[in-house]
Amino acid sequence: MAANYSISDLARELDITTRAIRFYEEQGMLAPERRGQERIYTAKDKVTLKLILRGKRIGFSLAECKELIELYDPAGGNRKQLETFMDKISERRAQLEQQLLDIQQMQLELDTAEERCLAALEQTQA
């Protein structure tokens, strides 16, 4: 028998809020079975949530996560999904490298401003 989860079970296991899970459902990323007001999530839903959370941790937008999840095709070997994932990884890495350069430049500018302030302070004491 396949594993089923309530919304609170998933929230507890994945350390997220039930509101976050409902949000992903509203975005069309999850489609749990309904029994009255109760949501019943499958193991596939749990994997989808894990992928969303992993994507968010590495800086992917929700739209990018959704795109990657929608490309999942076990019959096709997932080649398209993996190629798209690799492209997004390269894009994200390039963004991070640019951010790092920007931070390093800002640190140099701060160092220069600090040196000028210290020199000006020394002159006011003389």
Side-chain angles (χ1 to χ4, degrees):
M1 177 167 166
N4 290 321
Y5 305 89
S6 71
I7 193 168
S8 57
D9 291 338
L10 278 182
R12 188 173 34 259
E13 281 193 42
L14 301 176
D15 195 28
I16 59 176
T17 65
T18 57
R19 178 68 193 117
I21 296 171
R22 286 191 295 272
F23 174 76
Y24 298 135
E25 187 178 334
E26 290 166 7
Q27 299 303 306
M29 300 177 81
L30 297 170
E33 179 185 327
R34 296 277 190 151
R35 290 190 194 140
Q37 292 289 353
E38 185 181 12
R39 292 168 167 90
I40 307 298
Y41 295 89
T42 64
K44 182 180 181 226
D45 293 321
K46 183 178 177 181
V47 169
T48 298
L49 275 170
K50 285 182 175 182
L51 291 173
I52 292 167
L53 297 172
R54 183 176 301 138
K56 287 179 52 100
R57 271 195 314 273
I58 59 176
F60 290 168
S61 70
L62 200 54
E64 290 172 316
C65 292
K66 185 175 183 177
E67 177 187 357
L68 288 168
I69 290 165
E70 288 173 349
L71 287 173
Y72 178 71
D73 178 19
N78 293 319
R79 183 171 186 82
K80 180 67 176 164
Q81 183 190 42
L82 293 170
E83 289 171 344
T84 302
F85 189 38
M86 288 297 295
D87 289 343
K88 291 194 179 304
I89 288 171
S90 294
E91 289 170 14
R92 183 65 182 137
R93 189 178 307 277
Q95 289 171 346
L96 289 172
E97 288 170 358
Q98 183 59 54
Q99 286 177 332
L100 183 57
L101 290 173
D102 292 345
I103 289 169
Q104 290 169 339
Q105 180 62 38
M106 191 178 299
Q107 286 176 323
L108 289 173
E109 291 174 18
L110 287 170
D111 289 345
T112 301
E114 182 179 45
E115 287 172 11
R116 288 181 180 164
C117 285
L118 288 172
L121 283 171
E122 286 177 10
Q123 286 181 357
T124 61
Q125 291 178 356

